Amino acid sequence: MKLNRREFNIAAGASTLTLGLGAAPMVFAGNAKPKVVVIGGGTGGATAARYIAKDSKGAIDVTLIEPTKRYYTCYFSNLYIGGFREYESLGHSYAKLASEYGINVIHDWAVTVDRKKKMVVLGSGSMVPYDKLVVSPGIDLKFASVAEGYSVADQGIFPHAWKSGTQAQLLKAKVTGMKQGGTFLMVPPPNPFRCPPGPYERISMIAHHFKNNNPTAKIVILDPKDKFSKMGLFKDGWERHYKGMIDWQPLSSLGGLKSINTATGEFVTDLDTFKADAACVIPANTSGQIAKTAGLTNDKGWCPIHQGSMKSKVDPDVYVIGDASVASSMPKSGFAANSQAKVCAMAVRGELTKSKVFPARYANTCWSLIAPNDGVKVGATYKAGDKKIDPTSKFISKNGEDADTRQATYEESVGWYAGITADIFG
Amino acid sequence: MGLLIRLAAAASTTLVLATAVHADEKVEYGEYLSGSCVTCHQLSGADNGIPAIVGWDAEAFVEVLLSYKTKERDNKAMQTIAIPLSKEEMEALAAYFATIKAKE
């Protein structure tokens, strides 16, 4: 349901022109509307901004701080790598959030937060005051944690593509450009990380590309984990569709990853050295940096929250949602971030306008495409438990499901993508 | 532009209708619960691989959710969603979605 902001703003005497950086809708004198600032215009932040603006019906001033002018989703980027989606289909504009919901979208970085003064300091030097702050910064990557010889300087050679956009395009180019019969190597991240099945869907998509374009290519996975999300489903699918192509090895059986040589493509473990012609290295994840500079993280680098509202345990005027939050047992995913954003939006509105607050409900579904029309999913519904977010029911696809079920599962994911991006960006 | 104006008018009508019944607590509760439905079942009524559920008869809506709860109907995602829902919550969802008109 879209609030017609044009009608509201004209009635209120405010300008409907938002020209981007620095331009805010004019407000009439004596306005004491409560202010919410959202840091991060990804899946969590943009959803929170839209729901707070839409459901408060103009009673709350919403500002969204996001450096990029076009959001490229991480989810479905694997399908782009596999050749199932066009790159531009992953991209979404902030225009409607600005023009139809009256959100002040500022394309800038939040570099620090003064929580005493309740002010967000932007990279450009401007300062944005808030009554309530929603922080949805996603992740940053711990490049130094992978192995000796690998740093942020190397992400252009062995991309992580664990944030979408240019890195996804680069990874696709590396995959499609790999020599015939070459070896593609992936180092997935250790727990906890965003999108638990993601690296393995990515392997499936790369294998699909190789099957059709580079059939003698090989894929090696050196995993810091001993098991992974939907492992049984992926291994079954890889055996059926990509027999003999994919070799998954836990690093625990190799004595750990000691060093990476980006010039020679050598990945050295205690027991063996692997030579890669192309590679994807996904470092350990941590909260987006602003969560740390704002003082919202614990000693593990993630943000503890109250499970009924997503309010930070560190500061009652700050909420943290999405990947950066400690929201177990929910996984870190786009679906989860969008779900948490709605609970957060309801809680924020309740605090600022005394609107009704219902008990928190959360949900998540993660779809993965293994091969054309062979999709699997895992998901659950949740409520706020005594200590954390607890599942109320769960499901996972099963091996041996018929082809129709797997095709329907894939088609649901396509419908979901259209639905969630409309839900986030209007 | 004419089509856009007509679409905007239809959307405004929907908004007015929804606002008028917003005083109804069932619809308000249903709107809150619908947060986890609308990422798949689009409010616009668009139908890409996931059926539209806007503007349904409220009783039929509840019947379908109940049949997922009892696993009479097959889809695992819908069963997972329906199982923790009480009849009251299903009725609230039904009341809310009944107020939404699909965009033509």
Side-chain angles (χ1 to χ4, degrees):
Chain A
M1 263 194 325
K2 284 182 194 162
L3 176 69
N4 191 325
R5 297 298 299 183
R6 279 183 209 90
E7 288 173 1
F8 175 79
N9 283 335
I10 287 166
S15 163
T16 55
L17 273 177
T18 33
L19 296 168
L21 184 65
M26 292 190 301
V27 293
F28 44 96
N31 173 43
K33 273 200 270 186
K35 295 178 180 9
V36 173
V37 173
V38 181
I39 295 177
T43 302
T47 302
R50 178 171 172 257
Y51 271 72
I52 292 169
K54 145 176 107 67
D55 292 342
S56 69
K57 299 188 185 15
I60 297 175
D61 209 278
V62 181
T63 300
L64 177 64
I65 301 168
E66 166 54 46
T68 67
K69 291 178 180 157
R70 190 164 172 79
Y71 182 70
Y72 287 89
T73 60
C74 237
Y75 36 98
F76 273 41
S77 65
N78 284 337
L79 271 63
Y80 151 68
I81 290 168
F84 293 88
R85 297 288 283 217
E86 294 299 314
Y87 179 67
E88 273 313 314
S89 75
L90 304 178
H92 305 276
S93 160
Y94 292 95
K96 280 191 194 164
L97 293 182
S99 64
E100 287 183 26
Y101 297 87
I103 296 166
N104 182 13
V105 180
I106 305 181
H107 290 304
D108 201 339
W109 283 93
V111 294
T112 190
V113 180
D114 184 333
R115 289 193 284 106
K116 287 206 180 71
K117 294 202 181 112
K118 295 174 77 170
M119 201 81 86
V120 178
V121 182
L122 304 183
S124 62
S126 293
M127 305 214 281
V128 187
Y130 65 85
D131 293 303
K132 297 290 176 187
L133 178 67
V134 178
V135 177
S136 189
I139 56 158
D140 270 320
L141 296 155
K142 291 161 72 171
F143 290 97
S145 72
V146 182
E148 195 189 306
Y150 189 82
S151 75
V152 67
D154 303 304
Q155 65 154 44
I157 302 168
F158 295 151
H160 50 80
W162 217 242
K163 297 191 189 195
S164 197
T166 308
Q167 277 271 307
Q169 293 177 294
L170 176 62
L171 180 59
K172 180 160 174 133
K174 297 286 188 189
V175 168
T176 57
M178 192 178 85
K179 73 178 196 201
Q180 290 294 311
T183 296
F184 185 92
L185 195 149
M186 175 191 274
V187 181
N191 288 324
F193 62 98
R194 72 163 32 156
C195 197
Y200 313 96
E201 180 188 57
R202 179 168 291 179
I203 291 295
S204 307
M205 294 291 93
I206 293 171
H208 167 74
H209 171 83
F210 286 159
K211 185 171 171 178
N212 293 334
N213 299 283
N214 191 345
T216 54
K218 293 280 178 254
I219 298 174
V220 172
I221 308 161
L222 300 179
D223 206 328
K225 307 182 296 299
D226 291 339
K227 53 186 167 87
F228 56 88
S229 172
K230 298 185 203 145
M231 187 158 91
L233 295 168
F234 279 112
K235 287 194 165 181
D236 171 80
W238 293 346
E239 182 66 19
R240 284 184 291 110
H241 296 289
Y242 314 117
K243 198 173 171 68
M245 185 186 281
I246 301 170
D247 179 19
W248 176 82
Q249 299 195 39
L251 279 165
S252 60
S253 69
L254 294 165
L257 183 61
K258 301 304 175 193
S259 67
I260 299 174
N261 186 328
T262 50
T264 61
E266 285 171 335
F267 287 69
V268 181
T269 70
D270 243 3
L271 292 187
D272 213 341
T273 294
F274 300 84
K275 183 144 184 332
D277 299 293
C280 171
V281 175
I282 308 169
N285 294 185
T286 188
S287 294
Q289 183 66 12
I290 185 67
K292 295 185 182 159
T293 56
L296 300 168
T297 51
N298 62 17
D299 56 11
K300 297 204 177 76
W302 306 102
C303 302
I305 47 91
H306 291 287
Q307 56 270 29
S309 61
M310 301 305 295
K311 185 185 290 197
S312 165
K313 285 189 173 168
V314 170
D315 186 324
D317 291 322
V318 180
Y319 295 72
V320 184
I321 57 176
D323 295 342
S325 67
V326 180
S328 11
S329 12
M330 296 184 84
K332 296 184 188 300
S333 76
F335 197 123
N338 167 272
S339 175
Q340 292 157 12
K342 292 167 189 178
V343 169
C344 167
M346 176 179 63
V348 167
R349 286 191 305 111
E351 293 227 358
L352 293 177
T353 64
K354 306 291 172 227
S355 57
K356 196 156 188 178
V357 178
F358 294 102
R361 293 288 183 106
Y362 302 96
N364 178 67
T365 302
C366 284
W367 284 271
S368 302
L369 184 63
I370 301 178
N373 288 318
D374 190 347
V376 292
K377 64 188 178 193
V378 62
T381 55
Y382 306 84
K383 67 178 193 339
D386 291 329
K387 296 234 169 62
K388 54 185 182 56
I389 296 174
D390 296 329
T392 49
S393 66
K394 320 186 221 194
F395 64 89
I396 184 167
S397 296
K398 301 264 180 299
N399 282 332
E401 278 165 354
D402 64 30
D404 283 346
T405 301
R406 290 294 178 95
Q407 180 174 340
T409 299
Y410 166 63
E411 285 166 358
E412 274 168 22
S413 74
V414 174
W416 166 76
Y417 189 88
I420 195 166
T421 49
D423 191 43
I424 300 165
F425 296 103
Chain B
M1 276 309 282
L3 175 63
L4 284 173
I5 289 166
R6 269 180 270 130
L7 282 174
S12 301
T13 310
T14 307
L15 175 66
V16 166
L17 177 67
T19 313
V21 298
H22 225 245
D24 185 351
E25 273 211 9
K26 223 188 219 184
V27 171
E28 193 186 5
Y29 190 40
E31 185 177 8
Y32 160 63
L33 293 171
S34 75
S36 46
C37 311
V38 298
T39 54
C40 292
H41 295 285
Q42 300 177 60
L43 270 180
S44 65
D47 176 344
N48 320 80
I50 297 183
I53 59 173
V54 297
W56 278 22
D57 168 69
E59 258 187 57
F61 194 103
V62 173
E63 280 307 311
V64 172
L65 279 178
L66 280 172
S67 66
Y68 280 118
K69 188 170 178 138
T70 59
K71 301 203 181 178
E72 195 190 312
R73 278 198 186 218
D74 223 355
N75 188 298
K76 290 273 182 320
M78 281 311 303
Q79 286 174 2
T80 300
I81 283 158
I83 284 167
L85 287 177
S86 69
K87 187 120 186 284
E88 192 202 345
E89 286 161 343
M90 292 183 187
E91 286 169 357
L93 281 165
Y96 170 66
F97 278 105
T99 67
I100 310 294
K101 283 209 187 86
K103 295 204 183 129
E104 291 306 319

